Amino acid sequence: MTATSPPSPRSHPLPRPRPFGRALCAMVTPFTEEGLLDLDGAQRLAERLVSEGCDGLVLSGTTGESPTTTDAEKSALVRAVAEAVGDRAAIVAGIGTADTRHCVQLALEAEKAGADGLLVVTPYYSRPPQDAVEAHFRTIADAGALPLALYDIPGRTGTRIEPETMLRLAEHPRIVAVKDCAYDLLGTQKVLAATELAYYTGCDEYVLALYAIGGAGYISTVANVTPRHFRSVLHAFDAGDTDEAARLMQLTIPLTELMMASGLPGTVTTKALLGALGLPAGPVRAPLQPAGRETTDGLLTAYERLTAAA
């Protein structure tokens, strides 16, 4: 018998929709030591993230402390970051609130400020039924011209975007993507198989897992400090080197666990580590409280081990 040659690595990524690129960072919102919006710091941080491999920046998400920033600050942040990065990266503005009318206002302001897309979370606390969830997203999508990414994170909002609802919403021409934090790979694959929605994982531990089953990429909090490393996971997978992709992914787990599963919000740990690295971040706004010295030292140690191993 003639031995068959192993398949050659793919020279191009799998064809999949990527309306905002594939490597996105859920960027923190830098503040001054007095707690004011630090637009210069935001521009410097955005420039670093884009130069180190981010295709897009998500502004004013939960990581960006959207609950405690004003509408005016949100618009100013979009304008400043858009000015800093130009057309080198997509700017996705978080506009999610529990109030549909307020979301529409924020959507229109983000569009004026120069955003390329919108991230809209499920209305929280009021726990609307699925027909109301669907109407909420459709109203926002109908209000302006920008494409929408739906943010499905029932652990925070109390309400899931059920797969059947997602299938109906996928029919809307401006609903193009999902930030997936539902921890339901079966439901995710059901929607991936039936729609052209671009699925981005918002859970840093699932970057490779979701990408391998047809996801578009990630919207990562940890990428605030490790933009190159997460990008390298996708590069290895696209090249057909799945063993290397898995190795690189596994290297991120200790840092991801400390940043995202230590009992502190990711915003707190990210700002602590950015500050320890001398990068723009500043304090968090109340009710969040800063990380302690021991936590910050642990984050810095895990970061240094990751960069040394990579």
Side-chain angles (χ1 to χ4, degrees):
M1 294 179 62
T2 303
T4 58
S5 300
S8 59
R10 292 188 302 274
S11 58
H12 298 287
L14 289 170
R16 60 189 74 179
R18 293 174 180 144
F20 308 118
R22 55 181 178 165
L24 281 75
C25 177
M27 196 178 100
V28 300
T29 299
F31 298 130
T32 67
E33 289 306 314
E34 296 74 31
L36 302 176
L37 184 63
D38 181 5
L39 293 178
D40 177 68
Q43 289 185 319
R44 287 187 285 117
L45 180 60
E47 174 64 38
R48 173 184 178 269
L49 292 170
V50 173
S51 66
E52 294 199 6
C54 291
D55 300 319
L57 303 173
V58 176
L59 308 178
S60 297
T62 310
T63 302
E65 297 179 77
S66 58
T68 53
T69 54
T70 67
D71 293 0
E73 288 175 325
K74 289 176 173 65
S75 293
L77 183 64
V78 169
R79 285 193 295 270
V81 172
E83 178 184 323
V85 304
D87 60 1
R88 291 177 295 145
I91 303 298
V92 181
I95 62 158
T97 77
D99 178 352
T100 304
R101 290 179 299 174
H102 191 192
C103 289
V104 167
Q105 291 175 328
L106 289 173
L108 296 176
E109 289 302 317
E111 188 173 345
K112 290 180 190 175
D116 301 298
L118 306 171
L119 178 68
V120 191
V121 74
T122 316
Y124 40 83
Y125 191 77
S126 56
R127 302 186 70 175
Q130 289 298 298
D131 60 342
V133 169
E134 182 176 348
H136 173 79
F137 289 128
R138 287 186 181 276
T139 298
I140 298 165
D142 288 339
L146 293 182
L148 267 65
L150 309 182
Y151 188 5
D152 190 15
I153 183 167
R156 290 285 188 98
T157 65
T159 304
R160 176 79 192 278
I161 310 174
E162 297 293 345
E164 292 74 16
T165 305
M166 200 75 80
L167 292 173
R168 293 191 298 272
L169 287 167
E171 298 170 0
H172 196 291
R174 280 190 292 279
I175 295 176
V176 301
V178 177
K179 180 180 178 182
D180 186 12
C181 289
Y183 288 97
D184 176 16
L185 285 180
L186 180 61
T188 292
Q189 289 179 90
K190 180 178 178 179
V191 180
L192 278 171
T195 75
E196 290 298 309
L197 288 174
Y199 261 74
Y200 295 90
T201 182
C203 306
D204 289 84
E205 67 272 29
Y206 278 148
V207 165
L208 180 57
L210 185 58
Y211 197 65
I213 62 171
Y218 56 78
I219 299 174
S220 166
T221 294
V222 180
N224 277 279
V225 293
T226 60
R228 287 188 184 273
H229 191 88
F230 276 114
R231 184 69 183 243
S232 70
V233 173
L234 305 190
H235 279 320
F237 186 86
D238 286 339
D241 193 345
T242 55
D243 286 344
E244 177 65 2
R247 184 188 76 84
L248 292 169
M249 187 70 228
Q250 288 160 11
L251 288 176
T252 69
I253 297 305
L255 180 60
T256 294
E257 185 173 22
L258 285 177
M259 290 183 67
M260 306 303 294
S262 65
L264 290 174
T267 305
V268 172
T269 54
T270 301
K271 282 196 163 185
L273 184 48
L274 285 170
L277 295 171
L279 297 168
V284 292
R285 282 182 175 172
L288 298 180
Q289 295 294 311
R293 184 71 259 168
E294 183 178 351
T295 296
T296 302
D297 288 345
L299 290 165
L300 190 57
T301 298
Y303 170 82
E304 290 171 345
R305 286 174 179 167
L306 171 60
T307 54

